[in-house]
Amino acid sequence: MQAIQTTKLVKRYKTLTAVDGLNLEIQQGELFSLLGVNGAGKTTTIKMLTCLTKPSSGDALVGGFSITKHPEQVKQLIGVSPQETAVAPNLSVEENLALICGIHGFSKQKTKQRIEELSGQFGLNTVLHRKAGKLSGGWQRRVSIAMALISQPQILFLDEPTLGLDVLARHELWKVIRSLKGKVTMILTTHYLEEAAALSDRIGIMKSGNLLAVGTVDELNRKAGVDNFEAAFVAIVEEAAV
Amino acid sequence: MRMLTFAKRCTKEILRDPINLAFGLGFPLILLMLLSAIQSNIPVSLFEIDKLTPGITVFGLSFMTLFSATLIAKDRESALLQRLHTTPLTGLDFIIGYMLPLLPIALGQIGICYLAAIPLGLTVSINILYAILGILPMAVFYIALGLLCGSVLGVKQVGGICGALLTNLSAWLSGVWFDLDLVGGVFRKVANVLPYVHAVEMEKALFSGVFHATLTHIVPIVFYCVLTTAIAVFLFLHQMKRQ
């Protein structure tokens, strides 16, 4: 079953076409990565799919609901961890998690239960009562993803989740993302080729608003006629430039 | 429920910022004591405690603009607002959630100023309560002005414009520090067109029990309150759409 289906999705900003007729299908439970250089259209795609910005034309179904006609229903189904840290700095980690539960209308009992579950899953028990703004970048990112998950979304959007993190923090976060595989449909955007290759079921390569290729790492390697993913990525992107 | 959850979060963010407390509460209290001390040495009728206190409370309210504008601008600059825009929160939830927590904070600030003025010789009567409640539309004006500024300005700009320019302008044009008739001319006319001096005069009238005198002042205050709120709501929803 499809979690996301886009049909000729376009986003134009005056003279710039950020996303140009995107047709994409993502299956339920899949971890799909959008990969591309700066300005490829990855974040704009995520913004449209999460109802942050309206498409100039085309449409997408997210969890069966149209992003243009039924954004309220879409927002009930999704969780988003934005590119930058998105925590309330003067609130404790626990209060940040409770904030999202409250916004989704959870009862006190369910809020308590979800905080306990997520704290265990993300190893947040030691920092639960500390102000989120005082935590390191890695911890804040972890809290940010926990906030995106606490409402039990069917579809989770992770926009550059490991950007700016050191190697150890990145690998810690990878563990967390891997632990979610199969339970939640995840759409991840990243600059890091090794991250996409290590985590994804399938990868979509974007450039200048166009989706150049979609497939597993092996499929993309075969398509480019090379035996490593970095070479495949470069070949696919350069071929589009010719 | 959603809106109250968000409002609760905004309250915590504001009250846990020590700079907010220092400026919002500390500064008006220091001014109240300083000007009272000047008055006791060099008597100036403008600084008599019964006249000074209403003025100081109106000046203190100008910090509500700084609080709300800073919070909104910070949320916009961080990705928190972006995250919240992907949740079921509606535009109305955001607007009320940002504005509502500042009303009890404003009430508390005015109340503390009046309490601090009692040992300095303030006349205690039921009129204090009327003065506090009567100035609430002006509090809404200042809070809405913060929503407006926070929707269009960045954090640094908010610091300069709301923290320095607007607080000083509202103080000069309110007649708290000096009698506007002494300056006269265009300055006096401009001050009369704006709501600040009317807020001070109305609160003075309520405090002294001359209730009929409030009528000429309430109209411009309500007019600016409604106008600023309408513009602020429009600009907030516009930036929400742009985000």
Side-chain angles (χ1 to χ4, degrees), chain A residues 212-214 217-226 232 236 239:
Chain A
L212 303 178
V214 179
V217 171
D218 289 341
E219 285 168 353
L220 293 170
N221 286 350
R222 273 201 300 277
K223 181 181 164 76
V226 293
I236 290 168
E239 190 183 297

Side-chain angles (χ1 to χ4, degrees), chain A residues 116-183:
Chain A
E116 278 173 10
E117 284 170 10
L118 267 291
S119 302
Q121 192 177 354
F122 284 77
L124 296 174
N125 285 312
T126 54
V127 296
L128 211 52
H129 302 294
R130 284 179 60 188
K131 276 189 183 179
K134 302 282 182 197
L135 299 175
S136 69
W139 277 105
Q140 285 195 16
R141 205 59 68 86
R142 205 183 265 230
V143 173
S144 189
I145 296 177
M147 286 168 77
L149 269 171
I150 202 156
S151 62
Q152 295 174 303
Q154 289 180 22
I155 302 164
L156 177 65
F157 292 89
L158 301 167
D159 194 5
E160 307 269 8
T162 60
L163 189 73
L165 297 188
D166 62 42
V167 177
L168 289 178
R170 183 178 300 166
H171 279 266
E172 279 295 309
L173 212 51
W174 284 9
K175 271 189 216 165
V176 172
I177 293 170
R178 278 200 188 100
S179 72
L180 299 169
K181 278 183 80 168
K183 297 173 194 159

Side-chain angles (χ1 to χ4, degrees), chain A residues 59-100:
Chain A
D59 201 355
L61 296 178
V62 175
F65 293 104
S66 159
I67 57 167
T68 55
K69 296 183 189 79
H70 305 291
E72 294 80 15
Q73 279 91 335
V74 172
K75 287 178 180 183
Q76 298 278 1
L77 301 177
I78 61 171
V80 182
S81 178
Q83 200 172 98
E84 297 150 54
T85 305
V87 296
N90 283 329
L91 265 57
S92 70
V93 171
E94 188 178 23
E95 287 168 335
N96 267 283
L97 295 171
L99 168 69
I100 304 296

Side-chain angles (χ1 to χ4, degrees), chain A residues 180-219:
Chain A
L180 299 169
K181 278 183 80 168
K183 297 173 194 159
V184 185
T185 306
M186 284 183 277
I187 294 88
L188 180 143
T189 73
T190 182
H191 272 97
Y192 304 118
L193 303 180
E194 76 280 13
E195 181 165 289
L199 298 174
S200 316
D201 296 313
R202 286 190 309 145
I203 296 167
I205 297 176
M206 291 187 78
K207 190 193 175 195
S208 307
N210 293 295
L211 187 65
L212 303 178
V214 179
T216 62
V217 171
D218 289 341
E219 285 168 353

Side-chain angles (χ1 to χ4, degrees), chain B residues 15-242:
Chain B
L15 293 180
R16 287 180 188 176
D17 189 337
I19 296 170
N20 282 349
L21 291 179
F23 271 90
L25 201 57
F27 199 42
L29 287 179
I30 288 169
L31 281 174
L32 191 71
M33 288 170 194
L34 192 70
L35 294 173
S36 296
I38 292 172
Q39 156 69 17
S40 64
N41 289 320
I42 312 159
V44 182
S45 75
L46 193 67
F47 294 160
E48 285 167 9
I49 196 74
D50 283 1
K51 290 180 182 169
L52 180 66
T53 310
I56 291 288
T57 59
V58 171
F59 170 70
L61 286 178
S62 63
F63 289 100
M64 297 301 129
T65 303
L66 180 65
F67 294 170
S68 60
T70 306
L71 181 63
I72 296 161
K74 271 187 185 168
D75 282 355
R76 279 177 51 233
E77 284 189 4
S78 79
L80 183 68
L81 204 56
Q82 200 182 85
R83 174 199 286 284
L84 296 176
H85 284 331
T86 66
T87 67
L89 281 175
T90 63
L92 190 69
D93 291 332
F94 279 110
I95 289 162
I96 297 177
Y98 276 125
M99 292 182 74
L100 195 64
L102 283 155
L103 269 179
I105 293 174
L107 271 175
Q109 186 199 47
I110 301 168
I112 288 170
C113 279
Y114 272 101
L115 277 176
I118 292 171
L120 299 171
L122 185 82
T123 310
V124 179
S125 75
I126 187 72
N127 290 344
I128 291 178
L129 191 66
Y130 299 147
I132 292 173
L133 294 176
I135 209 62
L136 277 181
M138 194 60 186
V140 175
F141 161 75
Y142 276 117
I143 295 165
L145 194 60
L147 181 68
L148 191 158
C149 293
S151 300
V152 293
L153 303 174
V155 177
K156 278 185 184 172
Q157 292 166 310
V158 161
I161 291 175
C162 300
L165 190 67
L166 282 178
T167 46
N168 276 304
L169 270 182
S170 82
W172 296 340
L173 294 164
S174 65
V176 180
W177 310 144
F178 48 84
D179 190 340
L180 295 175
D181 288 329
L182 292 176
V183 186
V186 176
F187 191 85
R188 171 83 223 184
K189 282 178 188 162
V190 170
N192 272 332
V193 170
L194 295 169
Y196 309 110
V197 68
H198 295 289
V200 173
E201 292 305 320
M202 190 177 83
E203 198 177 331
K204 279 182 186 170
L206 285 168
F207 177 74
S208 51
V210 191
F211 299 118
H212 68 272
T214 60
L215 292 173
T216 51
H217 301 298
I218 190 78
V219 175
I221 293 171
V222 171
F223 169 76
Y224 275 102
C225 176
V226 172
L227 180 73
T228 311
T229 306
I231 297 171
V233 167
F234 171 78
L235 289 175
F236 183 83
L237 294 176
H238 180 69
Q239 69 76 30
M240 195 174 159
K241 211 174 161 188
R242 276 179 60 200

